[in-house]
Amino acid sequence: MANDEIQRFTVSLPQSLFEEIETDIASRGYQSRSEYIRDLFRDRIVDKQWNDSVEDVVGVLTLIFDHHQRGLSEKLIEIQHHHLVHILCSTHVHIDHHRCLETIILKGQAKEVNHLVNQISALKGVNLARLSRAGVV
């Protein structure tokens, strides 16, 4: 940052939201509301930089899916193979008799990564598809 001077501002919140934030601050061990808010802002800035980047980006896709869903495993593999996204690493874990958890580390253009994630999340049998935007490379 060019100017590290501290700026103060006031935020108005409904009481219920304020109480929820206070609980979250305490449970996460933040020393102050300011540090909590700074982390939220940093996360939003990373998301914006990630989506606006013309450089390759890196992200982690977390999936939970029903491995008994007919044809789902094949569709997941097919989608991963037919995109201009590099699959750097994946980990597959069996949670229980029906559900699997998979993490996939992705690298590529943000638009392509988002498209891949959208295609996977729309598949029948995928219960969760969450993308963590790690950074711009």
Side-chain angles (χ1 to χ4, degrees):
M1 291 185 165
N3 186 354
D4 281 345
E5 181 181 327
I6 299 295
Q7 301 294 317
R8 288 184 171 74
F9 65 96
T10 302
V11 177
S12 300
L13 299 171
Q15 183 68 32
S16 60
L17 181 57
F18 177 79
E19 289 169 4
E20 193 170 327
I21 289 170
E22 288 292 293
T23 300
D24 197 35
I25 288 169
S27 70
R28 292 175 182 251
Y30 279 95
Q31 298 301 307
S32 68
R33 287 185 201 113
S34 292
E35 192 55 42
Y36 179 84
I37 298 298
R38 280 192 288 270
D39 275 356
L40 291 176
F41 287 175
R42 286 182 195 114
D43 285 348
R44 291 298 291 255
I45 290 168
V46 166
D47 284 351
K48 181 178 179 346
Q49 289 171 340
W50 199 91
N51 283 318
D52 294 346
S53 177
V54 295
E55 304 296 324
D56 279 352
V57 296
V58 176
V60 179
L61 176 58
T62 303
L63 299 174
I64 295 179
F65 60 92
D66 180 351
H67 73 264
H68 289 294
Q69 179 64 46
R70 183 174 300 212
L72 179 57
S73 295
E74 293 81 7
K75 289 176 187 173
L76 288 169
I77 291 169
E78 183 180 329
I79 290 170
Q80 292 177 55
H81 280 282
H82 286 92
H83 275 274
L84 300 174
V85 174
H86 301 286
I87 307 299
L88 301 178
C89 175
S90 67
T91 303
H92 183 98
V93 178
H94 301 276
I95 298 174
D96 58 30
H97 183 68
H98 290 282
R99 295 177 302 151
C100 294
L101 177 129
E102 192 162 328
T103 59
I104 306 167
I105 301 175
L106 309 163
K107 179 181 177 186
Q109 292 292 297
K111 181 178 178 179
E112 286 295 322
V113 172
N114 285 327
H115 183 63
L116 180 142
V117 171
N118 289 340
Q119 277 195 301
I120 288 176
S121 65
L123 293 173
K124 185 174 182 177
V126 173
N127 305 116
L128 172 81
R130 180 169 295 147
L131 177 65
S132 298
R133 293 166 177 88
V136 177
V137 292

